[in-house]
Amino acid sequence: MSVQARDIAIVAFHQSDCQASAGATNEVELIMPEIRAVMDQVGLRNAQDVDFVCSGSCDYLQGAAFAFVAGVDALGAVPPIRESHVEMDAAWALYESVLKIRMGHADSALIYGFAKSSPGELPIVLSQQLDPYYLAPLWVDTVSLAALQARLMLDAGKITEADMAAVVSRSRHNAMNNPHAQLAGEVSVESLLAQQHFVSPLRRHDCCPVSDGASAMIIATVEQAKAWGKPYAILRGIDHRIESHNLCTRDLTESPSTRRAAEAAGVADGAVDVAELYAPFSHQEIILSRALGLGEGTSVNPSGGVLAGNLMMASGLSRVGEVFQRIVSGEARRGVAHATSGPCLQHNLVAVVEAA
Amino acid sequence: MSPTEVLSEAFELGFTYTRSTGPVVGRFLTGLRDRRIEGVRASDGRVMVPPMEYDPDTAAALDDFVEVGQQGEIVSWCWVSEPRKAHPLQQPFAWAMIRLDGADVPMIHCVSAASEDQLATGARVQVRWAEETRGHIADIACFELAEVAQ
Amino acid sequence: MAQLAAVIGTGQTRYKTKRGDVSIAGLLREAAVNALEDAGLGFEDIDAVVIGKAPDMFEGVIMPECYLADALGANGKPMLRVHTAGSVGGSTALVAASHVQSGTFKRVLTVTYEKQSESNAMWALSTPQPFAVHLNAGAGGYFAPIIREYMRRSKAPYDVGIKVAVKDRLHGARNPLAHLQKPDITMAEVEESMMLWDPLRLLEACPSSDGACAMVIAAEDAVDSSAKPPAWIRGGAMRSEPTMYAGREEVNPRAGRDCAADVYAQAGIRDPRRELDVAEIYVPFSWYEPMWLENLGFAEEGQGWRLTMEGATSLDEQGDIPWNPSGGVLSSNPIGASGMIRFAEAARQVRGDAGDHQVAGAKLAMGHAYGGGAQFFSMWIVGADKP
Amino acid sequence: MSDAREPVTGIEAPVYLQYQFTAGRAPSRFLSALKQGRLTGQRCPGCSQVYIPPRGACPACGIATEEEVTLSNKATVQSFTIVYIPIPGNPIKPPYIVANLVPDGANISFIHLLSECVNEEVHIGQRVEAVWKPEAEWDYKMDNILYYKPLEEPDVPVEMIGKLGVDGLEGKQS
C-alpha cells in the first residue's frame, strides 16, 4: 500500500558500528548512544518528546528472555510512554509505527532495533525458527539453507559463482566509505573465486558476518517534521509479505513476496536511484534486485549492505536509514529499502523513500 | 568510564520441550517409526513430504495421505565441510533437497557421502534408517547414494 | 484520523493444562478458524495477519510467525509478530486494530497463543544468566511483595484475595472454555490451599494453560459478514514504564493510570464503574482485582477491596460492574493469549455472545492486559453502539 | 511410545544452545566491587537517584550513569514474600524469605534472601544487614552476600524507605 492519508517523514537515523563482538556492552549500553544520536539530530530530549516508540529485538540471539524490557531503561520512560515491541527486525517496528501515525494516534515515533548476536552460534540458533517437528530437530543451519538456494540458482543458470563474487567485491568496495562497516576493502572477483568453499557452493565471503549493534530512527508527520525544521525524506510507501514456511514449496530462485511488497509499496512508480537490500548472502542480492525490477540506473547497496556488517534485528531498519541519509544529503532523489526475515528470504519488507 | 575487567562466562540455555504433534505430523512420524514414508496431497494435487498440515496456497487443512518411495533424486545440495556440533553427522556431509519417488515437493535432510565430488544435482539417494526408529524425523538417519542406478 | 473498526469475529480454543492433541500450528488454527467462522469469512478474505505471544522460550520456536504462516493462511500477505511481555495479548489486538484504523486494510486476523505445556513457565520466564542471583521464584514471587504492600496500605481484610479467587472460579464455571472448572469452590477451599508465596495461596494464582485466542477486526464498510452485531472499538491505549526506577509506584503504577485515562478519554468515559457494563481485567493473582479496581478508577485509592467484598464485581451476586465474567486469568492462563482473551471477551459481551457468562444488556465493555513488572499496559473499550 | 501399535502423538525436542555471556560495563564494575566486598550503586547525573544494581542508565531519565557510590551493608525491608516452593536449580529449602531491600545510600530496592529471622516477625520497614561469605570465597557474584539478617534498630517509617543516605536513618537523607 502507499501512504495516502498522511505522508510520513523520516527525520533522523543513526546506527552503531558493526562489531564482531560488542564485548562488555549490554543492551541498554548498546541502544543508548543510538537513541541519543537521533534525538540530537532532531533536537529532542528523550522518548518523552515523541508520541510513540517501537523496537525490534530477538531474545534468543543473546539467550535471555525479555531483552526488550531492558531496552525500555534507555528511553527515559518516566512519565510512562506509548511503547510497543516486535520480535522481528526493527523495519517491522517502523511498519507498526507508520500505522500508528496514519491512524492519527501519533504524530511522531522513535524506532530502534538491537542485538548482540555474537554470544551464541547464530546459524544454529536460527535453525530453531524452522518447522519444529521436521527441520529444527535436525539443526539445519541458515548458512546451509542459503547454500541450497544458491545451488538452485546456479543449476538453473540464473547466476554464476562469478556473479556472486562480483556482489561481494562491490560490497567490500562500497563499504570503504561506510564508517560503520565491519568488512571493507578492495577485493577482486578473481581473488574471491580463488577462495575455498565454506558450505559449498557458498564461500565464507558470500555470507554476511555476525555483528553486534543497534540502530535508531525518528519518523513524523510532514507537518511535525516541518515544525522541527530539520531535513527530512518522505516515506512514500511501505509493505511486507510472507511466504510458506516449507522451503521446498517455494521457488527459492525468485522472491515473489518481495515482488508483491514492491508493487504495493509503489517501487515502479518512479526511477530508483539507490537501493539498500537486506541480502545476508551474495546470491540473495541478485534475487532481490530482480524481484524489485532494479536496473542499471540504480546504485545497489552503496553502504556495502549487510555483507559488510549485519546488525540482526536492526539491519532492516538500517537499510531504510541508509536510503534516507542518501536522500537528505542530495545524493539520490528516490530510493528503495528492503528488509528480510526468516530463512532464504521468507518474509520481505519494501519501503520507498523520496526527496521531500 | 573507569577501566573494568571484562567478565565473561559460558552458559547453556536449554530445555527438553515436549511437543504434541497433532494428527498430520503424528501420522508421518508414526510412519517413520514403521519405516514407511507418507506424504500428503496438497489442494493442487502435488504430493508433499513431509506432509504439511495446511495447504500453502489455499490454507486448507490437508489429510489425503500418500505413501511414497524411499529413494529419490537430489534437487539441490550443499556440502558441509566443517560440521557443526549440533549437526546430525559429524563427518563432512551434505544437506539436500530430495524429491522422493512419488512425491512432487522435495524434503530437506542430510546425505552421507565420502566426499563432495560423489554428489551432484539429480543424483539418486535412498533412506538409511536409524538402527532404532522411535517416531522422530531422525528415524531417517540420513540419505545415502542409491546402490542401484535406475 | 482513525477509521472506525470493529470486532466481527472471535474464536478461542478450550483451555487446558496440555492440549496434547494438536501441534503448535494446530492450536492457533483452531482459534483462527473459530474466529473466521464467527465473522462469516474464510482465510481468503483476510488482508493481513498479526500474531502475538510471550517469550519464544516457552515453545522454543524462534520468531514463530515464520513457521505459522501457512496455518494462518498468511502466505502472500503481511504478517506481524508482537511481543510486549504479559500485555502482549492486548497490544497485539491494538496493533491488529491499527491495521484497519489506519485505513490500510479491510479485514485483519489476529491470533495470540501459548502452548505452555511444551516447557515450564517458571523456567521460560526467568532463564538463568551468569553473574545473576537466581531468586526469581516465578511471577508470584515477584508480585507477592507488592500485594503485601497493598494490604498494608489499604488495611484490607486478609480474605479479599480469597473472595476474588472464588468469584472468578464461579464465573469460570459458567464458561465452557475455561481451564479450571470449579463450580463448587468455597472460601474455605481457597484458604486451605497451599501457601505458595505468602500472602498468595495456590488457588489465588492463575493456572498454566495451553490455548489460543483469535479475532477478526474489520473496517466500517466490512462489518456485515457476521451474523452477530459488531463490537465497535471505542478506544485503545498502551503505556510502558521501566521495571524499576527510584520512587516508582509499584502498587498503583502510573502507566496503568495513564493508560486508563487515555482510553476513557477516547471513549468519552468519565466514571468507569457507572458507564461501563462489564470489564475483563488481567488478574493473574487474586489481589490484583482490588488493586486494579483502584488503578483503573473504579474505586478510590484504598477502597477497591470494598467493591470486591460487596460483590460489585460478581455476576453471581448481581454486582453492578462484573469483572471477568469469563473466569479471567485466574481460570485460564495461556500467557501470550491471556490479554487477547480479555479483549475478545469484552467484545463478546457487547455482541451479546457470551453465553452463560453474559452480562445482561451489556453495551460498553473494557478489555485490559498488563505485563512485565506491571509496567506494560494495553486496554481497549468496545461498544455495541457505533461511535 | 513403547507399544508400537499406538500412533505417535508427541516428540521430545531438546533445544540446548550455548552462549558466551559478557556482562555490560556498569554491571562489570558492580561485580568487580562485589568481589572486593563492596556493594555499589550508580548515581544518575539528572535526578541524583542512586541505582542498584547499576545497569548503565537511569531508567527514569534514560541517560547514562557514571558516578559510582559505595552503599551501606545496612538496608531496609521495602516488602517481602515468604516462599513455600523451591526455586528451580537453587538449593535453598522452603519456606524462605525473599525481600525487596533498599540498601542505605540507594534509592531503589533489589531482591535478596532474608535469614536468621523469625519469618512471622519480618515486616515492612525492618532494618537488616548483609551477611557476607568469608572473604576467600568472594567472586564476581551477588551471592557473595549470603543473605540479610535483622538488625536491632528502630523501623524506618514507610515514607522514608528508599530515601535514606548511606549513614542510615541517623545520617542525612540522600
Side-chain angles (χ1 to χ4, degrees):
Chain A
M1 76 249 157
S2 58
V3 182
Q4 303 115 357
R6 305 182 101 195
D7 267 351
I8 286 167
I10 303 174
V11 189
F13 170 73
H14 198 267
Q15 83 159 61
S16 67
D17 292 347
C18 296
Q19 296 176 270
S21 169
T25 307
N26 63 21
E27 313 89 344
V28 177
E29 291 163 341
L30 270 184
I31 297 162
M32 241 184 331
E34 305 319 308
I35 292 179
R36 188 69 267 142
V38 290
M39 289 290 162
D40 288 347
Q41 284 175 32
V42 185
L44 304 177
R45 229 170 4 118
N46 57 26
Q48 298 293 334
D49 291 345
V50 293
D51 298 333
F52 184 64
V53 179
C54 199
S55 63
S57 69
C58 173
D59 288 347
Y60 260 106
L61 298 187
Q62 63 200 60
F66 300 117
F68 70 93
V69 178
V72 175
D73 286 357
L75 300 176
V78 179
I81 58 172
R82 296 175 177 86
E83 188 262 352
S84 188
H85 172 260
V86 292
E87 193 88 350
M88 306 176 79
D89 186 284
W92 278 270
L94 169 65
Y95 185 84
E96 182 178 331
S97 303
V98 166
L99 298 181
K100 266 285 193 287
I101 293 181
R102 273 190 207 164
M103 71 184 277
H105 269 212
D107 286 335
S108 58
L110 165 70
I111 301 115
Y112 63 95
F114 64 100
K116 275 179 91 168
S117 309
S118 64
E121 186 182 0
L122 187 60
I124 287 296
V125 171
L126 290 179
S127 72
Q128 299 306 297
Q129 73 181 176
L130 301 170
D131 183 305
Y133 315 97
Y134 300 153
L135 288 178
L138 296 174
W139 301 89
V140 191
D141 61 280
T142 42
V143 175
S144 296
L145 291 173
L148 293 175
Q149 182 181 35
R151 173 93 61 198
L152 287 168
M153 297 282 291
L154 291 164
D155 285 352
K158 293 189 171 187
I159 52 167
T160 63
E161 292 195 34
D163 294 336
M164 294 162 67
V167 168
V168 178
S169 173
R170 178 167 41 73
S171 160
R172 298 284 166 88
H173 169 81
N174 290 351
M176 290 195 298
N177 290 318
N178 179 355
H180 304 300
Q182 192 170 330
L183 301 173
E186 292 294 355
V187 281
S188 69
V189 168
E190 295 70 33
S191 68
L192 290 171
L193 288 174
Q195 305 275 318
Q196 281 194 338
H197 284 118
F198 170 40
V199 178
S200 116
L202 297 181
R203 296 174 172 83
R204 275 186 199 277
H205 55 246
D206 289 311
C207 314
C208 64
V210 173
S211 320
D212 292 346
S215 68
M217 176 179 283
I218 293 175
I219 64 170
T221 60
V222 168
E223 297 72 38
Q224 179 66 70
K226 284 181 178 158
W228 281 335
K230 304 290 177 189
Y232 61 90
I234 302 290
L235 181 63
R236 185 64 67 192
I238 183 166
D239 192 273
H240 66 103
R241 305 283 162 153
I242 199 165
E243 297 181 32
S244 173
H245 83 279
N246 185 342
L247 291 145
C248 297
T249 64
R250 294 168 49 197
D251 179 354
L252 295 179
T253 68
E254 308 255 349
S255 183
S257 55
T258 300
R259 206 180 290 276
R260 237 170 144 149
E263 278 167 24
V267 170
D269 295 348
V272 178
D273 301 328
V274 59
E276 281 282 343
L277 310 179
Y278 193 160
F281 300 92
S282 58
H283 63 278
Q284 293 179 344
E285 188 187 292
I286 301 169
I287 297 173
L288 291 168
S289 294
R290 290 172 186 170
L292 290 164
L294 304 180
E296 292 288 306
T298 304
S299 164
V300 174
N301 285 338
S303 71
V306 299
L307 288 175
N310 181 23
L311 303 177
M312 288 293 293
M313 318 320 286
S315 274
L317 181 67
S318 287
R319 307 277 66 69
V320 183
E322 289 283 352
V323 171
F324 154 75
Q325 286 178 332
R326 284 184 164 71
I327 286 173
V328 292
S329 73
E331 225 176 284
R333 296 278 311 159
R334 187 168 186 275
V336 169
H338 159 269
T340 198
S341 176
C344 298
L345 306 174
Q346 186 188 351
H347 191 182
N348 297 287
L349 177 146
V350 176
V352 176
V353 186
E354 294 179 359
Chain B
M1 184 68 62
S2 67
T4 41
E5 293 159 82
V6 173
L7 301 179
S8 195
E9 197 174 296
F11 79 103
E12 181 177 73
L13 175 73
F15 202 89
T16 299
Y17 293 88
T18 49
R19 306 211 183 286
S20 50
T21 57
V24 174
V25 177
R27 175 153 173 175
F28 173 73
L29 297 180
T30 303
L32 293 187
R33 190 187 58 196
D34 301 339
R35 304 185 185 231
R36 288 182 298 110
I37 302 177
E38 281 190 286
V40 75
R41 203 176 291 283
S43 304
D44 63 1
R46 289 183 296 172
V47 173
M48 306 191 293
V49 184
M52 293 179 74
E53 294 185 83
Y54 308 103
D55 190 85
D57 299 321
T58 67
L62 301 175
D63 60 2
D64 183 6
F65 291 89
V66 183
E67 184 168 353
V68 299
Q70 301 191 5
Q71 288 199 355
E73 172 186 306
I74 291 181
V75 174
S76 184
W77 59 284
C78 65
W79 185 252
V80 182
S81 50
E82 298 166 35
R84 296 169 185 270
K85 262 193 199 147
H87 282 160
L89 300 173
Q90 292 301 301
Q91 294 293 317
F93 72 98
W95 292 110
M97 291 179 171
I98 298 153
R99 187 185 297 114
L100 292 174
D101 298 340
D104 298 292
V105 175
M107 68 180 288
I108 293 173
H109 215 297
C110 53
V111 178
S112 174
S115 66
E116 183 175 1
D117 52 23
Q118 294 194 328
L119 292 179
T121 303
R124 298 282 302 168
V125 291
Q126 65 188 21
V127 171
R128 185 205 295 166
W129 293 100
E131 278 181 28
E132 194 185 337
T133 56
R134 56 196 167 117
H136 191 276
I137 189 66
D139 288 349
I140 297 176
C142 61
F143 284 82
E144 56 196 4
L145 290 166
E147 286 154 11
V148 187
Q150 305 235 332
Chain C
M1 285 305 106
Q3 308 285 307
L4 286 183
V7 178
I8 62 164
T10 67
Q12 301 176 54
T13 61
R14 168 90 167 80
Y15 305 111
K16 288 178 69 172
T17 302
K18 182 173 177 71
R19 280 295 306 269
D21 58 325
V22 287
S23 64
I24 298 169
L27 187 72
L28 279 93
R29 173 81 176 196
E30 196 174 305
V33 166
N34 289 344
L36 286 168
E37 279 175 5
D38 192 35
L41 299 173
F43 283 107
E44 66 281 4
D45 300 311
I46 295 298
D47 301 323
V49 179
V50 182
I51 68 163
K53 69 176 299 298
D56 290 355
M57 281 146 205
F58 271 104
E59 295 86 2
V61 181
I62 300 177
M63 299 184 219
E65 72 279 5
C66 292
Y67 152 65
L68 292 166
D70 300 273
L72 299 179
N75 293 342
K77 299 172 187 174
M79 186 167 183
L80 199 75
R81 153 69 186 306
V82 180
H83 177 16
T84 63
S87 68
V88 66
S91 40
T92 303
L94 294 179
V95 172
S98 74
H99 280 65
V100 176
Q101 292 168 311
S102 60
T104 311
F105 300 103
K106 287 256 185 254
R107 298 176 195 87
V108 171
L109 171 67
T110 183
V111 192
T112 54
Y113 71 101
E114 214 68 71
K115 202 158 184 309
Q116 293 188 205
S117 67
E118 307 244 327
S119 71
N120 173 298
M122 264 209 347
W123 171 82
L125 289 174
S126 56
T127 53
Q129 287 250 289
F131 309 114
V133 192
H134 307 306
L135 290 179
N136 194 336
Y142 181 89
F143 290 114
I146 302 174
I147 289 168
R148 181 181 302 280
E149 169 63 10
Y150 171 75
M151 294 166 78
R152 186 197 65 78
R153 282 189 204 179
S154 65
K155 303 187 175 63
Y158 82 102
D159 56 353
V160 175
I162 296 171
K163 169 84 191 272
V164 176
V166 170
K167 185 261 297 179
D168 276 0
R169 271 48 174 273
L170 290 176
H171 286 175
R174 295 163 171 258
N175 174 6
L177 300 176
H179 178 170
L180 297 183
Q181 293 291 334
K182 294 179 118 8
D184 304 319
I185 192 167
T186 61
M187 297 279 282
E189 183 183 354
V190 176
E191 186 163 356
E192 285 157 19
S193 68
M194 187 190 168
M195 188 65 85
L196 299 181
W197 308 276
D198 192 330
L200 281 173
R201 296 166 181 83
L202 175 66
L203 285 175
E204 293 181 84
C206 53
S208 177
S209 317
D210 284 357
C213 178
M215 292 192 287
V216 178
I217 297 174
E220 186 179 7
D221 59 355
V223 298
D224 293 335
S225 58
S226 175
K228 296 172 197 160
W232 295 99
I233 300 170
R234 305 283 296 270
M238 291 169 70
R239 284 296 185 283
S240 305
E241 66 184 26
T243 320
M244 303 282 275
Y245 60 91
R248 176 165 186 242
E249 172 53 80
E250 288 184 286
V251 173
N252 189 2
R254 176 155 178 197
R257 281 181 279 143
D258 288 4
C259 191
D262 186 351
V263 80
Y264 295 154
Q266 291 174 43
I269 290 173
R270 290 211 184 89
D271 181 343
R273 179 171 177 188
R274 296 215 153 55
E275 293 173 60
L276 288 167
D277 299 308
V278 53
E280 281 279 346
I281 307 296
Y282 204 100
V283 177
F285 301 103
S286 59
W287 281 89
Y288 269 87
E289 174 168 304
M291 288 162 69
W292 290 154
L293 278 164
E294 297 169 27
N295 187 249
L296 300 174
F298 287 71
E300 293 296 314
E301 196 157 353
Q303 303 300 312
W305 60 271
R306 292 185 196 277
L307 268 65
T308 297
M309 295 313 268
E310 287 160 8
T313 57
S314 165
L315 267 184
D316 298 283
E317 297 175 63
Q318 287 80 47
D320 63 287
I321 180 63
W323 269 35
N324 296 323
S326 69
V329 182
L330 282 171
S331 296
S332 317
N333 186 33
I335 293 182
S338 287
M340 187 170 283
I341 298 169
R342 310 278 72 72
F343 279 48
E345 284 290 342
R348 289 182 71 189
Q349 289 287 348
V350 300
R351 300 176 85 201
D353 177 43
D356 287 345
H357 62 281
Q358 177 70 45
V359 174
K363 292 275 190 199
L364 204 57
M366 179 172 186
H368 162 282
Y370 84 91
Q375 65 189 113
F376 301 116
F377 291 85
S378 53
M379 305 177 194
W380 82 2
I381 308 272
V382 285
D385 298 327
K386 196 165 160 178
Chain D
M1 262 184 265
S2 53
D3 185 347
R5 288 159 303 178
E6 286 293 311
V8 174
T9 59
I11 60 168
E12 284 194 349
V15 178
Y16 290 82
L17 295 163
Q18 313 300 322
Y19 295 87
Q20 184 69 33
F21 176 87
T22 306
R25 284 190 296 268
S28 295
R29 286 171 66 183
F30 173 72
L31 294 165
S32 298
L34 271 178
K35 189 166 165 43
Q36 295 157 14
R38 276 192 310 130
L39 196 59
T40 56
Q42 281 188 348
R43 190 187 309 277
C44 171
C47 64
S48 304
Q49 302 292 296
V50 175
Y51 282 92
I52 173 180
R55 299 180 22 81
C58 169
C61 303
I63 55 178
T65 52
E66 178 70 28
E67 182 193 341
E68 195 167 283
V69 180
T70 298
L71 304 172
S72 171
N73 272 333
K74 294 183 179 180
T76 308
V77 175
Q78 187 184 56
S79 194
F80 65 97
T81 178
I82 309 169
V83 185
Y84 289 84
I85 50 173
I87 302 169
N90 193 307
I92 305 167
K93 292 259 181 316
Y96 53 91
I97 293 194
V98 174
N100 303 54
L101 303 168
V102 191
D104 295 353
N107 301 107
I108 196 156
S109 69
F110 69 97
I111 289 174
H112 213 311
L113 295 170
L114 210 55
S115 198
E116 288 189 45
C117 58
V118 180
N119 287 355
E120 291 68 31
E121 291 175 5
V122 173
H123 55 275
I124 290 169
Q126 188 171 9
R127 297 287 288 159
V128 295
E129 184 174 40
V131 176
W132 290 74
K133 282 182 180 171
E135 187 172 344
E137 295 174 30
W138 289 351
D139 197 353
Y140 299 101
K141 287 200 167 131
M142 193 62 201
D143 48 17
N144 289 352
I145 297 176
L146 283 167
Y147 52 81
Y148 280 74
K149 65 172 184 186
L151 265 180
E152 288 300 321
E153 279 188 18
D155 288 353
V156 175
V158 172
E159 62 278 9
M160 290 296 296
I161 297 174
K163 294 176 183 166
L164 301 191
V166 71
D167 299 322
L169 200 49
E170 305 308 309
K172 68 176 171 57
Q173 294 177 27
S174 65

